[in-house]
Amino acid sequence: VKSILNRKALFDFAEAKEEVTEVNLDAELIEVDEQQKLHEMLKYLNSSFAITTDNLTMHLATDEKEFVLYTSGEIFNLNIDLIRKLFANENQKICFDAKNLMHELNNYGIEINNYFDTSIAIYVANEMDAEITLDDAFKLNNIATETKACALIKLKEIYIGKLINNLQLKLFSDI
């Protein structure tokens, strides 16, 4: 019965949550459009960070700063080896839909090492039967933000807590 109720709440979340609370992450948004900003980004992302991508950009973030890197830009192309090293290191990368991200990064010859996939954490913790988008995940958790990569860090915190409370952390780790 609990499982059915959880699923019903998930499928009805768009109607049920009319008011979305803005998550204030106090994150600074930085466009990486020159070499100095790239070096600042690489220095700042020396530990765990979150990543989102679209057709034109990579957003790499900690809870304080989100860096926007244009994948067709000169800075990206000139420094692809440094960017590959960033993704290959042992620091955890927080993402949504790691499989899709790996395919996108593979277009640039980038392999990702040590990642936390929030989409799988959401799937396990909510006992879901259906896939959701990143925007759906934010709505489900009352998160409204311009800095989606920073918000992934918040999603990870929420779902680590849920996985622990639901005694599902081992199940998540085994997937």
PDB file of all heavy atoms in Angstrom, residues 12-35:
ATOM      1  N   ASP A  12       1.208  12.667  -9.506  1.00  0.00           N
ATOM      2  CA  ASP A  12       0.374  13.850  -9.322  1.00  0.00           C
ATOM      3  C   ASP A  12       1.153  15.061  -8.846  1.00  0.00           C
ATOM      4  O   ASP A  12       0.578  16.077  -8.519  1.00  0.00           O
ATOM      5  CB  ASP A  12      -0.732  13.565  -8.291  1.00  0.00           C
ATOM      6  CG  ASP A  12      -1.729  12.542  -8.796  1.00  0.00           C
ATOM      7  OD1 ASP A  12      -1.814  12.347 -10.021  1.00  0.00           O
ATOM      8  OD2 ASP A  12      -2.424  11.936  -7.952  1.00  0.00           O
ATOM      9  N   PHE A  13       2.493  14.977  -8.821  1.00  0.00           N
ATOM     10  CA  PHE A  13       3.272  16.060  -8.207  1.00  0.00           C
ATOM     11  C   PHE A  13       3.109  17.391  -8.918  1.00  0.00           C
ATOM     12  O   PHE A  13       3.144  18.436  -8.306  1.00  0.00           O
ATOM     13  CB  PHE A  13       4.760  15.707  -8.083  1.00  0.00           C
ATOM     14  CG  PHE A  13       5.534  15.763  -9.360  1.00  0.00           C
ATOM     15  CD1 PHE A  13       6.107  16.934  -9.784  1.00  0.00           C
ATOM     16  CD2 PHE A  13       5.691  14.629 -10.138  1.00  0.00           C
ATOM     17  CE1 PHE A  13       6.820  16.987 -10.964  1.00  0.00           C
ATOM     18  CE2 PHE A  13       6.402  14.677 -11.309  1.00  0.00           C
ATOM     19  CZ  PHE A  13       6.967  15.854 -11.729  1.00  0.00           C
ATOM     20  N   ALA A  14       2.899  17.405 -10.216  1.00  0.00           N
ATOM     21  CA  ALA A  14       2.779  18.667 -10.955  1.00  0.00           C
ATOM     22  C   ALA A  14       1.553  19.446 -10.504  1.00  0.00           C
ATOM     23  O   ALA A  14       1.604  20.652 -10.333  1.00  0.00           O
ATOM     24  CB  ALA A  14       2.713  18.404 -12.455  1.00  0.00           C
ATOM     25  N   GLU A  15       0.448  18.741 -10.272  1.00  0.00           N
ATOM     26  CA  GLU A  15      -0.766  19.414  -9.824  1.00  0.00           C
ATOM     27  C   GLU A  15      -0.718  19.729  -8.338  1.00  0.00           C
ATOM     28  O   GLU A  15      -1.204  20.745  -7.888  1.00  0.00           O
ATOM     29  CB  GLU A  15      -1.997  18.541 -10.101  1.00  0.00           C
ATOM     30  CG  GLU A  15      -2.268  18.299 -11.576  1.00  0.00           C
ATOM     31  CD  GLU A  15      -1.488  17.118 -12.138  1.00  0.00           C
ATOM     32  OE1 GLU A  15      -1.133  16.206 -11.368  1.00  0.00           O
ATOM     33  OE2 GLU A  15      -1.208  17.128 -13.347  1.00  0.00           O
ATOM     34  N   ALA A  16      -0.113  18.841  -7.570  1.00  0.00           N
ATOM     35  CA  ALA A  16      -0.137  18.969  -6.117  1.00  0.00           C
ATOM     36  C   ALA A  16       0.751  20.096  -5.605  1.00  0.00           C
ATOM     37  O   ALA A  16       0.488  20.661  -4.567  1.00  0.00           O
ATOM     38  CB  ALA A  16       0.285  17.654  -5.467  1.00  0.00           C
ATOM     39  N   LYS A  17       1.799  20.443  -6.313  1.00  0.00           N
ATOM     40  CA  LYS A  17       2.748  21.433  -5.827  1.00  0.00           C
ATOM     41  C   LYS A  17       2.699  22.674  -6.696  1.00  0.00           C
ATOM     42  O   LYS A  17       3.499  22.860  -7.577  1.00  0.00           O
ATOM     43  CB  LYS A  17       4.153  20.844  -5.798  1.00  0.00           C
ATOM     44  CG  LYS A  17       4.239  19.668  -4.863  1.00  0.00           C
ATOM     45  CD  LYS A  17       5.645  19.355  -4.524  1.00  0.00           C
ATOM     46  CE  LYS A  17       5.628  18.211  -3.530  1.00  0.00           C
ATOM     47  NZ  LYS A  17       6.838  18.000  -2.880  1.00  0.00           N
ATOM     48  N   GLU A  18       1.703  23.500  -6.436  1.00  0.00           N
ATOM     49  CA  GLU A  18       1.530  24.710  -7.236  1.00  0.00           C
ATOM     50  C   GLU A  18       2.562  25.767  -6.882  1.00  0.00           C
ATOM     51  O   GLU A  18       3.017  26.499  -7.729  1.00  0.00           O
ATOM     52  CB  GLU A  18       0.119  25.254  -7.030  1.00  0.00           C
ATOM     53  CG  GLU A  18      -0.957  24.307  -7.540  1.00  0.00           C
ATOM     54  CD  GLU A  18      -2.330  24.751  -7.129  1.00  0.00           C
ATOM     55  OE1 GLU A  18      -2.471  25.875  -6.607  1.00  0.00           O
ATOM     56  OE2 GLU A  18      -3.272  23.977  -7.330  1.00  0.00           O
ATOM     57  N   GLU A  19       2.894  25.855  -5.609  1.00  0.00           N
ATOM     58  CA  GLU A  19       3.834  26.866  -5.169  1.00  0.00           C
ATOM     59  C   GLU A  19       5.221  26.260  -5.045  1.00  0.00           C
ATOM     60  O   GLU A  19       5.424  25.292  -4.336  1.00  0.00           O
ATOM     61  CB  GLU A  19       3.402  27.393  -3.790  1.00  0.00           C
ATOM     62  CG  GLU A  19       3.386  28.898  -3.723  1.00  0.00           C
ATOM     63  CD  GLU A  19       2.923  29.339  -2.361  1.00  0.00           C
ATOM     64  OE1 GLU A  19       1.716  29.398  -2.144  1.00  0.00           O
ATOM     65  OE2 GLU A  19       3.801  29.614  -1.528  1.00  0.00           O
ATOM     66  N   VAL A  20       6.168  26.810  -5.766  1.00  0.00           N
ATOM     67  CA  VAL A  20       7.534  26.306  -5.715  1.00  0.00           C
ATOM     68  C   VAL A  20       8.381  27.309  -4.949  1.00  0.00           C
ATOM     69  O   VAL A  20       8.374  28.489  -5.248  1.00  0.00           O
ATOM     70  CB  VAL A  20       8.092  26.103  -7.146  1.00  0.00           C
ATOM     71  CG1 VAL A  20       9.522  25.622  -7.085  1.00  0.00           C
ATOM     72  CG2 VAL A  20       7.227  25.123  -7.913  1.00  0.00           C
ATOM     73  N   THR A  21       9.074  26.814  -3.946  1.00  0.00           N
ATOM     74  CA  THR A  21       9.922  27.660  -3.132  1.00  0.00           C
ATOM     75  C   THR A  21      11.290  27.790  -3.791  1.00  0.00           C
ATOM     76  O   THR A  21      11.913  26.788  -4.111  1.00  0.00           O
ATOM     77  CB  THR A  21      10.086  27.060  -1.723  1.00  0.00           C
ATOM     78  OG1 THR A  21       8.789  26.853  -1.173  1.00  0.00           O
ATOM     79  CG2 THR A  21      10.896  27.975  -0.838  1.00  0.00           C
ATOM     80  N   GLU A  22      11.732  29.004  -3.988  1.00  0.00           N
ATOM     81  CA  GLU A  22      13.052  29.242  -4.580  1.00  0.00           C
ATOM     82  C   GLU A  22      14.136  28.770  -3.616  1.00  0.00           C
ATOM     83  O   GLU A  22      14.140  29.146  -2.456  1.00  0.00           O
ATOM     84  CB  GLU A  22      13.226  30.733  -4.859  1.00  0.00           C
ATOM     85  CG  GLU A  22      14.513  31.079  -5.539  1.00  0.00           C
ATOM     86  CD  GLU A  22      14.491  30.836  -7.034  1.00  0.00           C
ATOM     87  OE1 GLU A  22      13.419  30.833  -7.632  1.00  0.00           O
ATOM     88  OE2 GLU A  22      15.580  30.653  -7.586  1.00  0.00           O
ATOM     89  N   VAL A  23      15.000  27.924  -4.088  1.00  0.00           N
ATOM     90  CA  VAL A  23      16.141  27.502  -3.280  1.00  0.00           C
ATOM     91  C   VAL A  23      17.221  28.556  -3.451  1.00  0.00           C
ATOM     92  O   VAL A  23      17.683  28.798  -4.556  1.00  0.00           O
ATOM     93  CB  VAL A  23      16.662  26.119  -3.732  1.00  0.00           C
ATOM     94  CG1 VAL A  23      17.939  25.778  -3.002  1.00  0.00           C
ATOM     95  CG2 VAL A  23      15.606  25.064  -3.485  1.00  0.00           C
ATOM     96  N   ASN A  24      17.579  29.206  -2.361  1.00  0.00           N
ATOM     97  CA  ASN A  24      18.594  30.244  -2.416  1.00  0.00           C
ATOM     98  C   ASN A  24      19.943  29.625  -2.115  1.00  0.00           C
ATOM     99  O   ASN A  24      20.275  29.384  -0.959  1.00  0.00           O
ATOM    100  CB  ASN A  24      18.273  31.370  -1.426  1.00  0.00           C
ATOM    101  CG  ASN A  24      19.235  32.516  -1.545  1.00  0.00           C
ATOM    102  OD1 ASN A  24      20.148  32.502  -2.366  1.00  0.00           O
ATOM    103  ND2 ASN A  24      19.035  33.529  -0.723  1.00  0.00           N
ATOM    104  N   LEU A  25      20.681  29.344  -3.160  1.00  0.00           N
ATOM    105  CA  LEU A  25      21.974  28.701  -2.989  1.00  0.00           C
ATOM    106  C   LEU A  25      23.110  29.714  -2.921  1.00  0.00           C
ATOM    107  O   LEU A  25      24.248  29.335  -2.704  1.00  0.00           O
ATOM    108  CB  LEU A  25      22.212  27.718  -4.145  1.00  0.00           C
ATOM    109  CG  LEU A  25      21.187  26.608  -4.266  1.00  0.00           C
ATOM    110  CD1 LEU A  25      21.377  25.843  -5.561  1.00  0.00           C
ATOM    111  CD2 LEU A  25      21.263  25.674  -3.079  1.00  0.00           C
ATOM    112  N   ASP A  26      22.785  30.972  -3.104  1.00  0.00           N
ATOM    113  CA  ASP A  26      23.789  32.030  -3.103  1.00  0.00           C
ATOM    114  C   ASP A  26      24.960  31.698  -4.021  1.00  0.00           C
ATOM    115  O   ASP A  26      26.113  31.960  -3.707  1.00  0.00           O
ATOM    116  CB  ASP A  26      24.307  32.311  -1.691  1.00  0.00           C
ATOM    117  CG  ASP A  26      23.233  32.910  -0.801  1.00  0.00           C
ATOM    118  OD1 ASP A  26      22.386  33.654  -1.337  1.00  0.00           O
ATOM    119  OD2 ASP A  26      23.235  32.630   0.402  1.00  0.00           O
ATOM    120  N   ALA A  27      24.660  31.094  -5.135  1.00  0.00           N
ATOM    121  CA  ALA A  27      25.708  30.683  -6.061  1.00  0.00           C
ATOM    122  C   ALA A  27      26.003  31.798  -7.059  1.00  0.00           C
ATOM    123  O   ALA A  27      25.107  32.427  -7.592  1.00  0.00           O
ATOM    124  CB  ALA A  27      25.284  29.427  -6.811  1.00  0.00           C
ATOM    125  N   GLU A  28      27.278  31.998  -7.263  1.00  0.00           N
ATOM    126  CA  GLU A  28      27.730  32.971  -8.258  1.00  0.00           C
ATOM    127  C   GLU A  28      27.835  32.260  -9.599  1.00  0.00           C
ATOM    128  O   GLU A  28      28.430  31.189  -9.708  1.00  0.00           O
ATOM    129  CB  GLU A  28      29.102  33.506  -7.837  1.00  0.00           C
ATOM    130  CG  GLU A  28      29.692  34.505  -8.788  1.00  0.00           C
ATOM    131  CD  GLU A  28      31.094  34.942  -8.362  1.00  0.00           C
ATOM    132  OE1 GLU A  28      31.611  34.468  -7.324  1.00  0.00           O
ATOM    133  OE2 GLU A  28      31.663  35.764  -9.096  1.00  0.00           O
ATOM    134  N   LEU A  29      27.238  32.833 -10.645  1.00  0.00           N
ATOM    135  CA  LEU A  29      27.283  32.267 -11.993  1.00  0.00           C
ATOM    136  C   LEU A  29      28.423  32.935 -12.761  1.00  0.00           C
ATOM    137  O   LEU A  29      28.449  34.149 -12.900  1.00  0.00           O
ATOM    138  CB  LEU A  29      25.944  32.508 -12.695  1.00  0.00           C
ATOM    139  CG  LEU A  29      25.643  31.688 -13.925  1.00  0.00           C
ATOM    140  CD1 LEU A  29      25.653  30.208 -13.621  1.00  0.00           C
ATOM    141  CD2 LEU A  29      24.298  32.089 -14.507  1.00  0.00           C
ATOM    142  N   ILE A  30      29.377  32.121 -13.235  1.00  0.00           N
ATOM    143  CA  ILE A  30      30.578  32.650 -13.885  1.00  0.00           C
ATOM    144  C   ILE A  30      30.704  32.056 -15.286  1.00  0.00           C
ATOM    145  O   ILE A  30      30.794  30.835 -15.435  1.00  0.00           O
ATOM    146  CB  ILE A  30      31.847  32.315 -13.073  1.00  0.00           C
ATOM    147  CG1 ILE A  30      31.739  32.899 -11.668  1.00  0.00           C
ATOM    148  CG2 ILE A  30      33.100  32.794 -13.800  1.00  0.00           C
ATOM    149  CD1 ILE A  30      32.774  32.369 -10.703  1.00  0.00           C
ATOM    150  N   GLU A  31      30.694  32.902 -16.305  1.00  0.00           N
ATOM    151  CA  GLU A  31      30.932  32.447 -17.666  1.00  0.00           C
ATOM    152  C   GLU A  31      32.430  32.297 -17.880  1.00  0.00           C
ATOM    153  O   GLU A  31      33.192  33.232 -17.663  1.00  0.00           O
ATOM    154  CB  GLU A  31      30.359  33.432 -18.678  1.00  0.00           C
ATOM    155  CG  GLU A  31      28.860  33.382 -18.777  1.00  0.00           C
ATOM    156  CD  GLU A  31      28.331  34.171 -19.954  1.00  0.00           C
ATOM    157  OE1 GLU A  31      29.017  34.275 -20.991  1.00  0.00           O
ATOM    158  OE2 GLU A  31      27.208  34.679 -19.813  1.00  0.00           O
ATOM    159  N   VAL A  32      32.840  31.116 -18.319  1.00  0.00           N
ATOM    160  CA  VAL A  32      34.259  30.839 -18.547  1.00  0.00           C
ATOM    161  C   VAL A  32      34.564  31.233 -19.992  1.00  0.00           C
ATOM    162  O   VAL A  32      34.482  30.424 -20.905  1.00  0.00           O
ATOM    163  CB  VAL A  32      34.590  29.363 -18.275  1.00  0.00           C
ATOM    164  CG1 VAL A  32      36.070  29.091 -18.510  1.00  0.00           C
ATOM    165  CG2 VAL A  32      34.184  28.978 -16.854  1.00  0.00           C
ATOM    166  N   ASP A  33      34.904  32.502 -20.162  1.00  0.00           N
ATOM    167  CA  ASP A  33      35.133  33.030 -21.510  1.00  0.00           C
ATOM    168  C   ASP A  33      36.559  33.529 -21.716  1.00  0.00           C
ATOM    169  O   ASP A  33      36.870  34.150 -22.722  1.00  0.00           O
ATOM    170  CB  ASP A  33      34.136  34.148 -21.816  1.00  0.00           C
ATOM    171  CG  ASP A  33      34.161  35.262 -20.784  1.00  0.00           C
ATOM    172  OD1 ASP A  33      34.964  35.189 -19.823  1.00  0.00           O
ATOM    173  OD2 ASP A  33      33.368  36.208 -20.926  1.00  0.00           O
ATOM    174  N   GLU A  34      37.426  33.240 -20.760  1.00  0.00           N
ATOM    175  CA  GLU A  34      38.843  33.592 -20.903  1.00  0.00           C
ATOM    176  C   GLU A  34      39.678  32.613 -20.087  1.00  0.00           C
ATOM    177  O   GLU A  34      39.183  31.941 -19.182  1.00  0.00           O
ATOM    178  CB  GLU A  34      39.096  35.040 -20.464  1.00  0.00           C
ATOM    179  CG  GLU A  34      38.685  35.330 -19.040  1.00  0.00           C
ATOM    180  CD  GLU A  34      38.785  36.803 -18.699  1.00  0.00           C
ATOM    181  OE1 GLU A  34      38.341  37.650 -19.486  1.00  0.00           O
ATOM    182  OE2 GLU A  34      39.329  37.081 -17.612  1.00  0.00           O
ATOM    183  N   GLN A  35      40.941  32.532 -20.414  1.00  0.00           N
ATOM    184  CA  GLN A  35      41.853  31.561 -19.803  1.00  0.00           C
ATOM    185  C   GLN A  35      41.922  31.703 -18.284  1.00  0.00           C
ATOM    186  O   GLN A  35      41.948  30.700 -17.572  1.00  0.00           O
ATOM    187  CB  GLN A  35      43.243  31.738 -20.429  1.00  0.00           C
ATOM    188  CG  GLN A  35      44.148  30.556 -20.261  1.00  0.00           C
ATOM    189  CD  GLN A  35      43.708  29.334 -21.064  1.00  0.00           C
ATOM    190  OE1 GLN A  35      43.044  29.432 -22.085  1.00  0.00           O
ATOM    191  NE2 GLN A  35      44.062  28.170 -20.584  1.00  0.00           N
TER     192      GLN A  35
END
